[in-house]
Amino acid sequence: MKSLLRHLLLSLSLFAAAPAQAELPLVATLHPILTEMVQRLAGDHVRVEELMGPNVNPHGFDPTPRDLARIQSASLVVAMGKNLEVYLDRLAASLPPGTPIFEAGAR
């Protein structure tokens, strides 16, 4: 777990010098638990866009084209990994090339 947090903090530290809210980097999260974790770790240094809202069954969630469009400008995508997001390959293919996807469960 320490390794996971260290890796995530390192990724998020790249955004630490961001100035105004409109210019803050976007971190997209794929689960409410990850949203809270990123918000607590990064504070006011990033904007967080949660793809899957609260009270949604993660096993049945399938992002719509509108959901995918919301995260096109993400600087980082944070996923649970471990095959929880069965749509992760499709999501990755929809993102601009080079957009990093951090899989928390894979560390």
Side-chain angles (χ1 to χ4, degrees):
M1 185 64 164
K2 285 183 181 181
S3 175
L4 161 69
L5 291 176
R6 190 174 323 121
H7 186 77
L8 185 58
L9 282 173
L10 179 61
S11 297
L12 293 174
S13 69
L14 300 173
F15 310 123
Q21 178 68 19
E23 299 174 17
L24 291 175
L26 175 65
V27 176
T29 60
L30 305 183
H31 193 280
I33 292 171
L34 296 172
T35 301
E36 183 175 345
M37 188 170 72
V38 170
Q39 287 171 334
R40 288 179 183 243
L41 291 171
D44 296 335
H45 300 289
V46 299
R47 292 179 297 127
V48 180
E49 180 72 38
E50 183 180 322
L51 201 62
M52 179 178 55
N55 302 321
V56 174
N57 180 347
H59 302 289
F61 178 73
D62 190 27
T64 65
R66 185 177 185 182
D67 291 329
L68 297 175
R70 288 182 12 225
I71 64 169
Q72 288 303 298
S73 62
S75 299
L76 174 67
V77 176
V78 182
M80 289 297 252
K82 297 284 189 182
N83 296 317
L84 178 64
E85 299 96 347
V86 295
Y87 54 85
L88 196 54
D89 287 341
R90 184 169 51 92
L91 181 140
S94 77
L95 293 170
T99 302
I101 297 177
F102 177 80
E103 293 185 51
R107 304 287 180 227

